[in-house]
Amino acid sequence: MLAEPQGFNLESNGVFYNCSICHASISGETGWWDLNGEKCLSCQNAVQSGIVPSYVCTDRESWYSTYELINKFKITSSTISVLIREGKLKSRKIKAVSGPTSFEIFLKQENEILNNYSRH
């Protein structure tokens, strides 16, 4: 049994990690570790609150980032916004610990519309 089943802040020993979701550089008080891996505090809060399912931490093939929609699918950011507003595309918004959205993901299982876009 784990001593800290909910996880813990990363050690402040000068070692840096990347968040398993948004890939932000994290260490010490800016990072969290649990059985889903290392995460920034924003992504940890999103997983803990259920905004983002925990499997996205370990199954990178289960979702797309906004960057991927723009670069792989050639969908413009304005088209992404329109598709979200129209309910044709569902995003999961990860809020910064303080401030606006810091990262947005699109679960493949929730966005079958992306199967209609060809990758370039």
Side-chain angles (χ1 to χ4, degrees):
M1 183 159 223
L2 289 175
E4 299 183 57
Q6 299 301 312
F8 50 86
N9 278 101
L10 297 174
E11 292 183 22
S12 296
N13 58 4
V15 176
F16 289 85
Y17 301 88
N18 285 38
C19 174
S20 62
I21 299 174
C22 72
H23 305 292
S25 179
I26 54 175
S27 69
E29 296 299 314
T30 67
W32 189 262
W33 183 91
D34 62 17
L35 293 176
N36 295 311
E38 299 89 11
K39 292 176 291 307
C40 69
L41 297 179
S42 297
C43 290
Q44 173 61 23
N45 287 341
V47 170
Q48 192 171 8
S49 65
I51 293 168
V52 173
S54 62
Y55 68 81
V56 304
C57 301
T58 55
D59 185 3
R60 182 56 188 88
E61 296 300 313
S62 66
W63 56 275
Y64 297 111
S65 65
T66 303
Y67 175 83
E68 289 174 301
L69 296 186
I70 292 169
N71 290 296
K72 288 183 179 181
F73 291 99
K74 306 301 183 202
I75 304 172
T76 64
S77 57
S78 59
T79 300
I80 293 170
S81 296
V82 168
L83 291 171
I84 291 170
R85 261 193 319 276
E86 292 176 346
K88 295 178 181 173
L89 196 59
K90 182 177 181 184
S91 72
R92 301 287 184 118
K93 294 179 176 156
I94 299 170
K95 303 273 185 200
V97 173
S98 62
T101 300
S102 61
F103 198 69
E104 192 169 21
I105 68 170
F106 303 83
L107 300 179
K108 289 181 179 181
Q109 68 182 16
E110 294 178 339
N111 292 290
E112 293 184 18
I113 187 175
L114 295 173
N115 294 333
N116 297 330
Y117 286 89
S118 61
R119 291 188 193 188
H120 292 63

